[in-house]
């Protein structure tokens, strides 16, 4: 998880399954960090589809 309070953004990455042929998942949210629920964008890709810095 990458939390940037100054820019009110949160990014969660899960690449463990991608190393075994599964999908990597990323969820990004930009907006107010108060509250208990957040809407964001979910992306999924095989390992080859990820930028080299995420592998």
């Amino acid at each position: 998880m990458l939390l940037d309070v100054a820019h009110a953004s949160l990014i969660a990455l899960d690449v463990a399954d991608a190393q075994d042929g599964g999908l990597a998942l990323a969820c990004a949210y930009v907006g107010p960090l108060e509250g208990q629920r957040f809407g964001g964008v979910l992306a999924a890709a095989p390992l080859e589809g990820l930028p080299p810095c995420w592998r």
Side-chain angles (χ1 to χ4, degrees):
M1 294 187 87
L2 305 168
L3 174 62
D4 185 343
V5 176
H7 294 98
S9 66
L10 174 67
I11 298 175
L13 302 172
D14 180 357
V15 296
D17 288 341
Q19 295 179 6
D20 293 326
L23 293 176
L25 301 174
C27 183
Y29 170 79
V30 177
L33 297 174
E34 298 84 21
Q36 297 180 3
R37 292 183 153 192
F38 302 97
V41 175
L42 177 64
L47 194 58
E48 307 83 53
L50 296 177
C53 63
W54 287 12
R55 295 183 200 170

